[in-house]
């Protein structure tokens, strides 16, 4: 009787987990979109999702998420340790996937969403256990009154940036020697054409009006490192606007524009390589920094091409 009960219990537990995984199969949706030659997966409410994001979301719901994310956790912990050895603090700011909050548009069940949320928390906890300071946006995004993501673009919205700026400002306020105030600016509506195609959409953007000063930013004690989440609404052109990005919001809080080293595409390895080139080419460069805020799309935890450990400074010659 006991053996039969245990067998049935295990069977129904596995069946329940399989149902969570199969309803829907986000990886299959991503594969199907790419087979059709489409760079997006369309949701039922007009939202569009990047296929790589859905593959990451599917892995978040897997019991093997720790294994999938291990290379990223190792590289990030190594980077944090290198900065700490130079007297610089790291604040990690991964941007959670849109599918974690708008999955109902794809048919994601409440159970599957819980699995995905648990997977995200697992990564955050494993980073914290390795001594990495992580600012987890998932809770503030979950409680947001306005959509923190663009509907037909791969990036966060102006409201998402504002929430992130509040979180980062609070983190920076804990750093000795930094004067951090509130973020202020004028909100304006702007129509954009998202990078996932479809109809244009209107987004609300906050423009603090702090002028850029590249020379001063180079010596600013705060460095923003990462991917195009740092460029959207900041760099202009195909990134929609200038003056309303994360750097602009933090400039309002800090009183001056922080330095930005950002790349298009994955912010996993190439952004750190750019920082290493600068640090190696300019002796004393890192001495001007107090905090590095590393911001990248959360999907990179498992979907980046590679997570390599990058020596920031040249190794000392062997004697």
């Amino acid at each position: 009787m006991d053996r039969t009960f245990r067998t049935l219990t295990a069977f129904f537990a596995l069946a329940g987990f399989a149902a969570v995984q199969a309803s829907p199969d986000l990886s299959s949706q991503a594969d199907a979109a790419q087979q059709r030659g489409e760079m997006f997966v369309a949701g039922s409410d007009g939202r569009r999702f990047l296929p790589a994001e859905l593959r990451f979301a599917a892995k978040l719901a897997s019991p093997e998420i720790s294994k999938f994310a291990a290379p990223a956790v190792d590289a990030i912990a190594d980077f944090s340790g290198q900065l700490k050895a130079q007297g610089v603090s790291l604040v990690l700011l991964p941007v959670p996937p849109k599918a974690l909050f708008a999955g109902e548009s794809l048919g994601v069940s409440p159970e599957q969403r819980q699995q995905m949320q648990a997977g995200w928390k697992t990564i955050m906890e494993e980073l914290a256990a390795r001594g990495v300071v992580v600012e987890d946006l998932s809770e503030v995004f979950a409680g947001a009154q306005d959509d923190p993501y663009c509907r037909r673009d791969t990036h966060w919205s102006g409201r998402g940036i504002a929430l992130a700026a509040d979180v980062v400002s609070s983190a920076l306020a804990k750093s000795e020697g930094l004067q951090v105030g509130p973020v202020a600016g004028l909100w304006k509506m702007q129509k954009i054409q998202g990078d996932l195609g479809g109809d244009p959409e209107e987004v609300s953007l906050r423009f603090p009006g702090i002028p850029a000063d590249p020379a001063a930013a180079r010596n600013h004690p705060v460095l923003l490192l990462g991917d195009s989440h740092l460029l959207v609404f900041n760099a202009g052109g195909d990134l929609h606007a200038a003056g309303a990005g994360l750097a602009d919001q933090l400039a309002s809080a800090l009183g001056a524009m922080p330095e930005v080293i950002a790349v298009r595409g994955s912010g996993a390895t190439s952004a750190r390589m750019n920082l290493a080139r600068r640090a190696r080419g300019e002796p004393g460069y890192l001495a001007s920094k107090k905090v590095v805020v590393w911001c990248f799309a959360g999907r990179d935890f498992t979907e980046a091409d590679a997570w390599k450990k990058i020596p920031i400074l040249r190794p000392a010659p062997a004697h």
Side-chain angles (χ1 to χ4, degrees), residues 110-145:
E111 294 79 12
Q112 187 178 17
R113 180 175 178 175
Q114 289 177 0
Q115 291 282 351
M116 290 159 54
Q117 290 172 333
W120 178 263
K121 289 295 184 184
T122 294
I123 298 175
M124 301 300 102
E125 290 168 358
E126 291 183 353
L127 285 164
R130 297 287 294 273
V132 179
V133 176
V134 187
E135 294 299 331
D136 182 5
L137 294 173
S138 65
E139 291 187 8
V140 292
F141 277 17
Q145 294 183 345

Side-chain angles (χ1 to χ4, degrees), residues 235-259:
D238 62 346
L239 288 161
H240 311 313
L246 181 62
D248 304 286
Q249 313 300 314
L250 294 178
S252 173
L254 295 166
M257 191 72 68
E259 185 177 11

Side-chain angles (χ1 to χ4, degrees), residues 51-318:
E53 177 185 322
L54 299 191
R55 292 192 179 94
F56 172 58
K59 290 174 183 174
L60 284 178
S62 166
E64 295 187 289
I65 184 57
S66 293
K67 181 183 75 172
F68 295 143
V73 172
D74 286 343
I76 293 167
D78 175 78
F79 183 59
S80 177
Q82 289 188 64
L83 289 175
K84 191 175 297 183
Q86 299 299 319
V88 182
S89 300
L90 175 67
V91 174
L92 194 71
L93 188 72
V95 182
K98 188 193 308 185
L100 201 60
F101 306 94
E104 66 276 5
S105 175
L106 297 167
V108 170
S109 67
E111 294 79 12
Q112 187 178 17
R113 180 175 178 175
Q114 289 177 0
Q115 291 282 351
M116 290 159 54
Q117 290 172 333
W120 178 263
K121 289 295 184 184
T122 294
I123 298 175
M124 301 300 102
E125 290 168 358
E126 291 183 353
L127 285 164
R130 297 287 294 273
V132 179
V133 176
V134 187
E135 294 299 331
D136 182 5
L137 294 173
S138 65
E139 291 187 8
V140 292
F141 277 17
Q145 294 183 345
D146 298 302
D147 197 339
Y149 301 91
C150 295
R151 295 174 68 84
R152 289 177 285 281
D153 192 274
T154 54
H155 299 98
W156 46 16
S157 67
R159 296 294 183 179
I161 292 173
L163 291 170
D166 290 342
V167 169
V168 175
S169 296
S170 296
L172 294 178
K174 302 173 186 176
S175 299
E176 185 177 349
L178 287 180
Q179 298 295 319
V180 183
V183 180
L186 181 63
W187 286 93
K188 300 179 183 178
M189 296 299 295
Q190 181 161 324
K191 185 174 289 187
I192 68 167
Q193 180 65 60
D195 60 5
L196 295 177
D199 295 335
E201 61 180 299
E202 280 198 327
V203 294
S204 182
L205 302 176
R206 181 169 58 185
F207 292 86
I210 305 296
D213 185 342
R218 188 73 165 235
N219 297 312
H220 198 284
V222 176
L223 167 65
L224 303 186
L225 180 73
D227 64 13
S228 58
H229 281 86
L230 298 179
L231 299 175
V232 70
F233 307 125
N234 166 267
D238 62 346
L239 288 161
H240 311 313
L246 181 62
D248 304 286
Q249 313 300 314
L250 294 178
S252 173
L254 295 166
M257 191 72 68
E259 185 177 11
V260 178
I261 298 178
V263 299
R264 292 174 182 254
S266 172
T269 297
S270 55
R272 284 179 295 134
M273 291 177 66
N274 288 346
L275 172 59
R277 292 188 188 99
R278 187 162 297 177
R280 294 178 182 188
E282 300 177 23
Y285 170 77
L286 285 178
S288 68
K289 305 302 175 190
K290 290 183 178 293
V291 183
V292 172
V293 179
W294 187 8
C295 175
F296 57 84
R299 62 179 178 273
D300 275 350
F301 281 124
T302 66
E303 304 309 296
D305 290 338
W307 277 94
K308 299 177 181 178
K309 294 180 180 179
I310 306 295
I312 304 173
L313 301 175
R314 288 188 177 89

